[in-house]
Amino acid sequence: MTGEIIDGKNIALTIRGEIADEVAALKAKNPAFKPHLAIVQVSDRKDSSTYVRMKLKAAEAAGILASYIHLPEATSEQELLSRVDMLNEDPTIHGIIVQLPLPSHIDEDKVTSAVMAKKDIDGFGPVNIGELNKKNGHPYFLPCTPKGIVELLKRSNVTIAGSKSVVIGRSDIVGSPVAALLKSLDSTVTILHSRTLDIPSYLKDADIIVVAIGKPEFVKGEWLKENKRNPVVIDVGTNFVDDATKKSGYRYVGDVEFNEAIKYVKLITPVPGGVGPMTVAMLMENTLIAAKRELETGGKLCEFKPLPLKKLKPVPSDFEISRVQKPKDISRIALEAGILPSELEPYGATKAKVNLKLLDRLKDREHGKYILVTGITPTPLGEGKSTTTVGLAQALGAHLKKTTFANVRQPSMGPTFGIKGGAAGGGYSQVIPMDEFNLHVTGDIHAISIANNLLAAAIDTRMFHESTQKDAAFYKRLVPSKNGVRKFTPTMLRRLKKLGIDKTNPDDLTDEEISRFAKLNIDPESITWRRVVDCNDRFLRGITVGEAPTERGFTRNTGFDISVASECMAILALSTSLSDMRERLGKIVIASSKTGEPITCEDIGCAGAMTALLKDTIKPNIMQTLEGTPVFVHAGPFANISIGANSILADKMALKLAGVDPELPEDIKRENVGYVITEAGFDFTMGGERFLNIKSRASGLIPDVVVIVATVRALKVHGGGPEVKAGMPLPAEYSNENVELLRKGCANLAKHIGNAKQYNLPVVVAINKMSSDTDLEHQVIREESLKAGASDAIVSNHWEEGGEGAIDLAKGIIKVTNEESNKDFEFLYKTEGLSVEEKITAVAQKMYGAKDVEFTEEAQRKINLYKEQGFGDLPVCIAKTQYSLSHDANLKGVPTGFTFPIRDVRASIGAGYLYALAAEIQTIPGLPTHCGFMNVEVNEDGEIDGMF
């Protein structure tokens, strides 16, 4: 029997014709549609030049524009990488091919990996190969040769599902991906390679044999003789062998002994004329796919177009408003914001992560204007900071046509399913889709939880093993031998450096050095690191761990915090780069040794793994408002015990994107500068103080103006009005005009204005309008605001009118940022030269109005310990109630003369501050009787109902 030849050349010609027809049809609908391929060749290798000519010819036949970049062999690796980067960032280029092989002085893997995944039409870059090999992966492109092989099989009517396939060769370009593809099509696949013993035995019952081993005529025809299935053989090899009968002096042969193999097979590909033409055809098809994707997602950096609002009266529920508005594709939002496709990592259609390399690209830009939104002391009903932040962004971006970003924290599941609700804003000033915003976003909080709990598990495990083993045995297991060699891990080398042990060979340590290095001797009573969970669960506030018999009685009392209270979350918010985050994670102090030395995450050996878990989390997320302006959603540190602000990296990205070319004339800069509106948790005295003294200290970014949000309702509460409770009817004082009560309550607003002015920053009061307000009440707030030192106080109706209702506020902020300066900014206290007690006292007296500060014995002991451990020069964060300027939620208005209690002080060394706890502050909230989750359902269309 003689097998039939699979004519790859003819099949490829047919496919190229189909591609040409589709390109022509799409061009007829959209003349701007121009699929564009870039081919980069380094050197003058004859074989490479031949392949490039084939690709250029195929592109022309398919109606695809092809740019040929021919570089000399002496081109450096960096020059080549720079050229690839240029092609990555060129929106007119849809596909990039780097012709292999490259000269020996260039790292092929490094160069091919540099090609943007969305333009990697070869399909063997790390992202596409990685996705291909995942169980439910989604590569942008299938590798061309493996894809061509599968297409050959399909068009030759070969049944793949249920077949037995053997792939000879395990390269990342052909062998491994073709095996993955065949497996995904339900073939049972066996991968062989050059070191596999008795290869013929594997071929006896194979239905499909793919040979890609790179050795001329490696598979002998005789090997197929015993196969009774009449296999299909796909020969991927392209080898040159000497042949004096040829004019060129050589001829092409495959990896299969063709003349003998054809006797025992059903189908076989020739060389040349088999797989080779299909590879080129698949390159063209992948280029077309890339161009079609670009067409569907906006195509290039483009002009901003706002989403129109369909406003109704009365205003529907927040969720109804969110669901009615159809968001733009997130790639469009990114393009409008100035984010290149290569810098965007989409998570579905409405949210994405932004790569930190954007900061390198825009490093020379001057920053945009930086607006900090805070509030007066809130009531349980909330005063609309998030709504104001979003409404102001919509006004500046959608109505005044300024490049604008709203920067907010990611909500925790705790409040979302508890009683507070989400944090997307409200009315016609929201982040959308609000369900995706309030549920998970891109999973950052979950990554924080895993990283935090990995360290918690590592601590208990380390204590257990140290307690059950002697030094020598423990050291042997801690630094094990692999293949006869013992090596310190990078994190172990860091610990050795900390201990002053200048040795890198584990076998060189003395017994005393082994003991110092290996045994941390953690004092269980000093452990401050707790496990976390992202929900309100009061029954986890205190637990006992180690109850299982396997733990041999090593129990201890501990508890859980809510995930957003984890120091890992604060580190995420305050990190300025991935390497900075790695260093901060390593500096986390989890306990003290029995001799009083601080024990860090680096000592435990966990920092590298935690960084791995958080390496994607550090990339800010981008979403949009109801009117289609961009929103960075990143980090969510607990506002009671942490800084309560979004990330430094999100702010830096937004400020660069909203920035201007430093070489522009000043009048042009002023006209073109954009705005970044960032929010601080709770009121200015808590969120604003921490923002300036901790976040700004770490970032070097100083706000151009502070916006303090106030409502008539809240100011009446602080004027002595009746108590308000969420879900309960409002007393009449809040729905009727009461100027006397309001003016008295304005003392609270005045205190916040005065507090902000202590930093020498301009202040604008945003009067968040409610339907029961009167013009006279608004006038009273304006009068009292100006009297207290505010630059302006402006009524804003963004909840009811969206961005249109905040135009006056936006114009007022533009005016203030143009006319007033933050150049005289100064911190509330110096970190060096002041004791921890003095810094806490400065905040309590200058911000809260306390007369004295009282430290419990435990708090003072902790302060003394941290000073001894070298942490006395850090800034301080004070955890207290948000419902009063003081520590007592019942003290409204502007309490004075009180003694401020500090019951405990803890260290967040990785985040870079100490935090003091005033009175009783819960680090994991509890659920109310009627919980938010009780209202939530999912309808038959998969839409969430009843969330808010």
Side-chain angles (χ1 to χ4, degrees), residues 371 392 395-396 399-400 402 675 764 792 794-796 803-819:
I371 303 166
L392 180 55
L396 285 164
H399 297 272
L400 299 183
K402 302 291 185 182
Y675 295 82
V764 172
D792 208 342
I794 304 168
V795 178
S796 185
E804 185 179 5
I807 289 175
D808 288 344
L809 176 61
K811 288 180 176 178
I813 287 170
I814 291 173
K815 182 174 184 290
V816 169
T817 57
N818 284 337
E819 295 178 357

PDB file of all heavy atoms in Angstrom, residues 371 392 395-396 399-400 402 675 764 792 794-796 803-819:
ATOM      1  N   ILE A 371      -6.282  66.493  43.250  1.00  0.00           N
ATOM      2  CA  ILE A 371      -7.388  66.958  44.091  1.00  0.00           C
ATOM      3  C   ILE A 371      -7.698  65.891  45.131  1.00  0.00           C
ATOM      4  O   ILE A 371      -7.989  64.739  44.787  1.00  0.00           O
ATOM      5  CB  ILE A 371      -8.642  67.231  43.237  1.00  0.00           C
ATOM      6  CG1 ILE A 371      -8.321  68.249  42.142  1.00  0.00           C
ATOM      7  CG2 ILE A 371      -9.796  67.720  44.102  1.00  0.00           C
ATOM      8  CD1 ILE A 371      -9.383  68.323  41.059  1.00  0.00           C
ATOM      9  N   LEU A 392     -17.635  64.934  40.337  1.00  0.00           N
ATOM     10  CA  LEU A 392     -16.643  65.939  39.959  1.00  0.00           C
ATOM     11  C   LEU A 392     -15.831  65.466  38.753  1.00  0.00           C
ATOM     12  O   LEU A 392     -15.542  66.247  37.829  1.00  0.00           O
ATOM     13  CB  LEU A 392     -15.726  66.213  41.151  1.00  0.00           C
ATOM     14  CG  LEU A 392     -14.607  67.231  40.961  1.00  0.00           C
ATOM     15  CD1 LEU A 392     -15.146  68.573  40.483  1.00  0.00           C
ATOM     16  CD2 LEU A 392     -13.827  67.398  42.271  1.00  0.00           C
ATOM     17  N   ALA A 395     -17.967  65.866  35.711  1.00  0.00           N
ATOM     18  CA  ALA A 395     -18.081  67.271  35.326  1.00  0.00           C
ATOM     19  C   ALA A 395     -16.829  67.733  34.582  1.00  0.00           C
ATOM     20  O   ALA A 395     -16.914  68.357  33.509  1.00  0.00           O
ATOM     21  CB  ALA A 395     -18.313  68.140  36.558  1.00  0.00           C
ATOM     22  N   LEU A 396     -15.658  67.432  35.149  1.00  0.00           N
ATOM     23  CA  LEU A 396     -14.404  67.862  34.528  1.00  0.00           C
ATOM     24  C   LEU A 396     -14.157  67.149  33.198  1.00  0.00           C
ATOM     25  O   LEU A 396     -13.714  67.767  32.228  1.00  0.00           O
ATOM     26  CB  LEU A 396     -13.238  67.585  35.485  1.00  0.00           C
ATOM     27  CG  LEU A 396     -13.095  68.529  36.676  1.00  0.00           C
ATOM     28  CD1 LEU A 396     -12.180  67.919  37.729  1.00  0.00           C
ATOM     29  CD2 LEU A 396     -12.556  69.884  36.223  1.00  0.00           C
ATOM     30  N   HIS A 399     -17.969  67.061  30.679  1.00  0.00           N
ATOM     31  CA  HIS A 399     -18.601  68.347  30.366  1.00  0.00           C
ATOM     32  C   HIS A 399     -17.608  69.465  30.092  1.00  0.00           C
ATOM     33  O   HIS A 399     -17.837  70.277  29.182  1.00  0.00           O
ATOM     34  CB  HIS A 399     -19.551  68.734  31.500  1.00  0.00           C
ATOM     35  CG  HIS A 399     -20.679  67.770  31.665  1.00  0.00           C
ATOM     36  ND1 HIS A 399     -21.872  67.875  30.982  1.00  0.00           N
ATOM     37  CD2 HIS A 399     -20.797  66.645  32.422  1.00  0.00           C
ATOM     38  CE1 HIS A 399     -22.673  66.875  31.313  1.00  0.00           C
ATOM     39  NE2 HIS A 399     -22.034  66.108  32.186  1.00  0.00           N
ATOM     40  N   LEU A 400     -16.523  69.509  30.837  1.00  0.00           N
ATOM     41  CA  LEU A 400     -15.529  70.560  30.615  1.00  0.00           C
ATOM     42  C   LEU A 400     -14.370  70.073  29.740  1.00  0.00           C
ATOM     43  O   LEU A 400     -13.442  70.833  29.469  1.00  0.00           O
ATOM     44  CB  LEU A 400     -14.997  71.080  31.958  1.00  0.00           C
ATOM     45  CG  LEU A 400     -16.056  71.699  32.880  1.00  0.00           C
ATOM     46  CD1 LEU A 400     -15.405  72.242  34.149  1.00  0.00           C
ATOM     47  CD2 LEU A 400     -16.827  72.809  32.167  1.00  0.00           C
ATOM     48  N   LYS A 402     -11.856  68.098  30.109  1.00  0.00           N
ATOM     49  CA  LYS A 402     -10.519  67.992  30.673  1.00  0.00           C
ATOM     50  C   LYS A 402     -10.172  66.509  30.850  1.00  0.00           C
ATOM     51  O   LYS A 402     -11.037  65.699  31.195  1.00  0.00           O
ATOM     52  CB  LYS A 402     -10.434  68.692  32.034  1.00  0.00           C
ATOM     53  CG  LYS A 402     -10.809  70.171  31.999  1.00  0.00           C
ATOM     54  CD  LYS A 402      -9.774  70.993  31.256  1.00  0.00           C
ATOM     55  CE  LYS A 402     -10.100  72.475  31.334  1.00  0.00           C
ATOM     56  NZ  LYS A 402      -9.115  73.290  30.559  1.00  0.00           N
ATOM     57  N   TYR A 675      -6.801  66.475  35.442  1.00  0.00           N
ATOM     58  CA  TYR A 675      -7.123  66.486  36.869  1.00  0.00           C
ATOM     59  C   TYR A 675      -7.260  65.050  37.378  1.00  0.00           C
ATOM     60  O   TYR A 675      -7.882  64.207  36.737  1.00  0.00           O
ATOM     61  CB  TYR A 675      -8.413  67.266  37.124  1.00  0.00           C
ATOM     62  CG  TYR A 675      -8.255  68.727  36.779  1.00  0.00           C
ATOM     63  CD1 TYR A 675      -8.369  69.166  35.463  1.00  0.00           C
ATOM     64  CD2 TYR A 675      -7.949  69.665  37.759  1.00  0.00           C
ATOM     65  CE1 TYR A 675      -8.185  70.494  35.122  1.00  0.00           C
ATOM     66  CE2 TYR A 675      -7.770  71.002  37.438  1.00  0.00           C
ATOM     67  CZ  TYR A 675      -7.879  71.407  36.120  1.00  0.00           C
ATOM     68  OH  TYR A 675      -7.678  72.726  35.797  1.00  0.00           O
ATOM     69  N   VAL A 764     -11.567  73.830  49.250  1.00  0.00           N
ATOM     70  CA  VAL A 764     -12.872  74.124  48.647  1.00  0.00           C
ATOM     71  C   VAL A 764     -13.893  73.225  49.317  1.00  0.00           C
ATOM     72  O   VAL A 764     -13.668  72.011  49.426  1.00  0.00           O
ATOM     73  CB  VAL A 764     -12.875  73.885  47.126  1.00  0.00           C
ATOM     74  CG1 VAL A 764     -14.291  74.013  46.568  1.00  0.00           C
ATOM     75  CG2 VAL A 764     -11.944  74.869  46.420  1.00  0.00           C
ATOM     76  N   ASP A 792     -13.374  78.614  48.727  1.00  0.00           N
ATOM     77  CA  ASP A 792     -14.709  78.702  48.147  1.00  0.00           C
ATOM     78  C   ASP A 792     -15.569  77.599  48.752  1.00  0.00           C
ATOM     79  O   ASP A 792     -15.058  76.628  49.328  1.00  0.00           O
ATOM     80  CB  ASP A 792     -14.658  78.535  46.627  1.00  0.00           C
ATOM     81  CG  ASP A 792     -15.797  79.268  45.914  1.00  0.00           C
ATOM     82  OD1 ASP A 792     -16.798  79.613  46.588  1.00  0.00           O
ATOM     83  OD2 ASP A 792     -15.682  79.498  44.703  1.00  0.00           O
ATOM     84  N   ILE A 794     -19.114  75.608  47.318  1.00  0.00           N
ATOM     85  CA  ILE A 794     -19.939  75.554  46.113  1.00  0.00           C
ATOM     86  C   ILE A 794     -20.943  74.417  46.228  1.00  0.00           C
ATOM     87  O   ILE A 794     -20.595  73.281  46.588  1.00  0.00           O
ATOM     88  CB  ILE A 794     -19.055  75.343  44.870  1.00  0.00           C
ATOM     89  CG1 ILE A 794     -17.983  76.454  44.799  1.00  0.00           C
ATOM     90  CG2 ILE A 794     -19.892  75.317  43.605  1.00  0.00           C
ATOM     91  CD1 ILE A 794     -16.892  76.181  43.800  1.00  0.00           C
ATOM     92  N   VAL A 795     -22.183  74.718  45.896  1.00  0.00           N
ATOM     93  CA  VAL A 795     -23.246  73.705  45.898  1.00  0.00           C
ATOM     94  C   VAL A 795     -23.086  72.801  44.680  1.00  0.00           C
ATOM     95  O   VAL A 795     -22.834  73.272  43.565  1.00  0.00           O
ATOM     96  CB  VAL A 795     -24.636  74.371  45.882  1.00  0.00           C
ATOM     97  CG1 VAL A 795     -25.729  73.300  45.831  1.00  0.00           C
ATOM     98  CG2 VAL A 795     -24.816  75.261  47.102  1.00  0.00           C
ATOM     99  N   SER A 796     -23.231  71.513  44.904  1.00  0.00           N
ATOM    100  CA  SER A 796     -23.111  70.539  43.821  1.00  0.00           C
ATOM    101  C   SER A 796     -24.272  69.560  43.883  1.00  0.00           C
ATOM    102  O   SER A 796     -24.574  68.998  44.939  1.00  0.00           O
ATOM    103  CB  SER A 796     -21.777  69.782  43.935  1.00  0.00           C
ATOM    104  OG  SER A 796     -21.594  68.912  42.842  1.00  0.00           O
ATOM    105  N   GLY A 803     -22.614  64.642  36.170  1.00  0.00           N
ATOM    106  CA  GLY A 803     -21.557  65.626  35.974  1.00  0.00           C
ATOM    107  C   GLY A 803     -22.087  67.030  35.731  1.00  0.00           C
ATOM    108  O   GLY A 803     -21.464  68.019  36.155  1.00  0.00           O
ATOM    109  N   GLU A 804     -23.224  67.135  35.085  1.00  0.00           N
ATOM    110  CA  GLU A 804     -23.803  68.452  34.805  1.00  0.00           C
ATOM    111  C   GLU A 804     -24.078  69.213  36.102  1.00  0.00           C
ATOM    112  O   GLU A 804     -23.916  70.437  36.169  1.00  0.00           O
ATOM    113  CB  GLU A 804     -25.096  68.288  34.005  1.00  0.00           C
ATOM    114  CG  GLU A 804     -25.721  69.595  33.554  1.00  0.00           C
ATOM    115  CD  GLU A 804     -26.980  69.393  32.738  1.00  0.00           C
ATOM    116  OE1 GLU A 804     -27.423  68.225  32.592  1.00  0.00           O
ATOM    117  OE2 GLU A 804     -27.534  70.394  32.245  1.00  0.00           O
ATOM    118  N   GLY A 805     -24.470  68.478  37.141  1.00  0.00           N
ATOM    119  CA  GLY A 805     -24.770  69.117  38.419  1.00  0.00           C
ATOM    120  C   GLY A 805     -23.542  69.534  39.203  1.00  0.00           C
ATOM    121  O   GLY A 805     -23.657  70.236  40.209  1.00  0.00           O
ATOM    122  N   ALA A 806     -22.354  69.108  38.754  1.00  0.00           N
ATOM    123  CA  ALA A 806     -21.111  69.449  39.449  1.00  0.00           C
ATOM    124  C   ALA A 806     -20.234  70.405  38.650  1.00  0.00           C
ATOM    125  O   ALA A 806     -19.077  70.632  39.008  1.00  0.00           O
ATOM    126  CB  ALA A 806     -20.327  68.175  39.768  1.00  0.00           C
ATOM    127  N   ILE A 807     -20.770  70.991  37.583  1.00  0.00           N
ATOM    128  CA  ILE A 807     -19.968  71.872  36.732  1.00  0.00           C
ATOM    129  C   ILE A 807     -19.458  73.085  37.510  1.00  0.00           C
ATOM    130  O   ILE A 807     -18.286  73.467  37.396  1.00  0.00           O
ATOM    131  CB  ILE A 807     -20.765  72.311  35.482  1.00  0.00           C
ATOM    132  CG1 ILE A 807     -20.936  71.116  34.529  1.00  0.00           C
ATOM    133  CG2 ILE A 807     -20.066  73.464  34.772  1.00  0.00           C
ATOM    134  CD1 ILE A 807     -21.804  71.411  33.321  1.00  0.00           C
ATOM    135  N   ASP A 808     -20.317  73.690  38.325  1.00  0.00           N
ATOM    136  CA  ASP A 808     -19.880  74.860  39.107  1.00  0.00           C
ATOM    137  C   ASP A 808     -18.752  74.483  40.065  1.00  0.00           C
ATOM    138  O   ASP A 808     -17.781  75.235  40.221  1.00  0.00           O
ATOM    139  CB  ASP A 808     -21.057  75.445  39.885  1.00  0.00           C
ATOM    140  CG  ASP A 808     -22.054  76.157  38.983  1.00  0.00           C
ATOM    141  OD1 ASP A 808     -21.697  76.465  37.825  1.00  0.00           O
ATOM    142  OD2 ASP A 808     -23.197  76.392  39.434  1.00  0.00           O
ATOM    143  N   LEU A 809     -18.883  73.328  40.692  1.00  0.00           N
ATOM    144  CA  LEU A 809     -17.837  72.860  41.596  1.00  0.00           C
ATOM    145  C   LEU A 809     -16.535  72.638  40.824  1.00  0.00           C
ATOM    146  O   LEU A 809     -15.449  73.035  41.278  1.00  0.00           O
ATOM    147  CB  LEU A 809     -18.268  71.565  42.287  1.00  0.00           C
ATOM    148  CG  LEU A 809     -17.241  70.899  43.208  1.00  0.00           C
ATOM    149  CD1 LEU A 809     -16.862  71.819  44.367  1.00  0.00           C
ATOM    150  CD2 LEU A 809     -17.782  69.564  43.737  1.00  0.00           C
ATOM    151  N   ALA A 810     -16.644  72.035  39.647  1.00  0.00           N
ATOM    152  CA  ALA A 810     -15.461  71.779  38.829  1.00  0.00           C
ATOM    153  C   ALA A 810     -14.781  73.081  38.416  1.00  0.00           C
ATOM    154  O   ALA A 810     -13.553  73.210  38.494  1.00  0.00           O
ATOM    155  CB  ALA A 810     -15.852  70.966  37.591  1.00  0.00           C
ATOM    156  N   LYS A 811     -15.570  74.046  37.996  1.00  0.00           N
ATOM    157  CA  LYS A 811     -14.997  75.340  37.593  1.00  0.00           C
ATOM    158  C   LYS A 811     -14.331  76.029  38.784  1.00  0.00           C
ATOM    159  O   LYS A 811     -13.269  76.655  38.636  1.00  0.00           O
ATOM    160  CB  LYS A 811     -16.082  76.234  37.004  1.00  0.00           C
ATOM    161  CG  LYS A 811     -16.556  75.790  35.620  1.00  0.00           C
ATOM    162  CD  LYS A 811     -17.646  76.721  35.094  1.00  0.00           C
ATOM    163  CE  LYS A 811     -18.061  76.344  33.678  1.00  0.00           C
ATOM    164  NZ  LYS A 811     -19.158  77.215  33.170  1.00  0.00           N
ATOM    165  N   GLY A 812     -14.939  75.919  39.943  1.00  0.00           N
ATOM    166  CA  GLY A 812     -14.356  76.523  41.137  1.00  0.00           C
ATOM    167  C   GLY A 812     -13.018  75.900  41.489  1.00  0.00           C
ATOM    168  O   GLY A 812     -12.069  76.598  41.889  1.00  0.00           O
ATOM    169  N   ILE A 813     -12.919  74.581  41.321  1.00  0.00           N
ATOM    170  CA  ILE A 813     -11.661  73.885  41.625  1.00  0.00           C
ATOM    171  C   ILE A 813     -10.588  74.258  40.605  1.00  0.00           C
ATOM    172  O   ILE A 813      -9.420  74.469  40.961  1.00  0.00           O
ATOM    173  CB  ILE A 813     -11.908  72.369  41.680  1.00  0.00           C
ATOM    174  CG1 ILE A 813     -12.665  72.033  42.971  1.00  0.00           C
ATOM    175  CG2 ILE A 813     -10.603  71.586  41.594  1.00  0.00           C
ATOM    176  CD1 ILE A 813     -13.168  70.636  43.056  1.00  0.00           C
ATOM    177  N   ILE A 814     -10.966  74.350  39.338  1.00  0.00           N
ATOM    178  CA  ILE A 814     -10.009  74.790  38.319  1.00  0.00           C
ATOM    179  C   ILE A 814      -9.468  76.175  38.683  1.00  0.00           C
ATOM    180  O   ILE A 814      -8.259  76.431  38.607  1.00  0.00           O
ATOM    181  CB  ILE A 814     -10.667  74.810  36.925  1.00  0.00           C
ATOM    182  CG1 ILE A 814     -10.970  73.382  36.457  1.00  0.00           C
ATOM    183  CG2 ILE A 814      -9.768  75.523  35.916  1.00  0.00           C
ATOM    184  CD1 ILE A 814     -11.762  73.306  35.164  1.00  0.00           C
ATOM    185  N   LYS A 815     -10.346  77.060  39.084  1.00  0.00           N
ATOM    186  CA  LYS A 815      -9.954  78.427  39.434  1.00  0.00           C
ATOM    187  C   LYS A 815      -8.964  78.426  40.607  1.00  0.00           C
ATOM    188  O   LYS A 815      -7.931  79.100  40.567  1.00  0.00           O
ATOM    189  CB  LYS A 815     -11.197  79.251  39.785  1.00  0.00           C
ATOM    190  CG  LYS A 815     -10.943  80.710  40.122  1.00  0.00           C
ATOM    191  CD  LYS A 815     -12.280  81.437  40.302  1.00  0.00           C
ATOM    192  CE  LYS A 815     -12.066  82.932  40.547  1.00  0.00           C
ATOM    193  NZ  LYS A 815     -11.479  83.217  41.848  1.00  0.00           N
ATOM    194  N   VAL A 816      -9.279  77.663  41.649  1.00  0.00           N
ATOM    195  CA  VAL A 816      -8.417  77.631  42.824  1.00  0.00           C
ATOM    196  C   VAL A 816      -7.056  77.033  42.491  1.00  0.00           C
ATOM    197  O   VAL A 816      -6.015  77.547  42.923  1.00  0.00           O
ATOM    198  CB  VAL A 816      -9.100  76.843  43.968  1.00  0.00           C
ATOM    199  CG1 VAL A 816      -8.105  76.569  45.094  1.00  0.00           C
ATOM    200  CG2 VAL A 816     -10.289  77.627  44.501  1.00  0.00           C
ATOM    201  N   THR A 817      -7.038  75.941  41.704  1.00  0.00           N
ATOM    202  CA  THR A 817      -5.745  75.318  41.381  1.00  0.00           C
ATOM    203  C   THR A 817      -4.908  76.207  40.479  1.00  0.00           C
ATOM    204  O   THR A 817      -3.672  76.101  40.475  1.00  0.00           O
ATOM    205  CB  THR A 817      -5.947  73.938  40.712  1.00  0.00           C
ATOM    206  OG1 THR A 817      -6.747  74.088  39.530  1.00  0.00           O
ATOM    207  CG2 THR A 817      -6.621  72.972  41.662  1.00  0.00           C
ATOM    208  N   ASN A 818      -5.539  77.073  39.709  1.00  0.00           N
ATOM    209  CA  ASN A 818      -4.791  78.008  38.861  1.00  0.00           C
ATOM    210  C   ASN A 818      -4.266  79.208  39.652  1.00  0.00           C
ATOM    211  O   ASN A 818      -3.224  79.773  39.326  1.00  0.00           O
ATOM    212  CB  ASN A 818      -5.669  78.507  37.708  1.00  0.00           C
ATOM    213  CG  ASN A 818      -5.822  77.462  36.613  1.00  0.00           C
ATOM    214  OD1 ASN A 818      -4.992  76.566  36.473  1.00  0.00           O
ATOM    215  ND2 ASN A 818      -6.885  77.570  35.843  1.00  0.00           N
ATOM    216  N   GLU A 819      -5.017  79.607  40.685  1.00  0.00           N
ATOM    217  CA  GLU A 819      -4.685  80.844  41.392  1.00  0.00           C
ATOM    218  C   GLU A 819      -3.932  80.627  42.695  1.00  0.00           C
ATOM    219  O   GLU A 819      -3.220  81.521  43.165  1.00  0.00           O
ATOM    220  CB  GLU A 819      -5.968  81.639  41.678  1.00  0.00           C
ATOM    221  CG  GLU A 819      -6.661  82.123  40.404  1.00  0.00           C
ATOM    222  CD  GLU A 819      -7.960  82.856  40.695  1.00  0.00           C
ATOM    223  OE1 GLU A 819      -8.352  82.929  41.888  1.00  0.00           O
ATOM    224  OE2 GLU A 819      -8.590  83.345  39.740  1.00  0.00           O
TER     225      GLU A 819
END
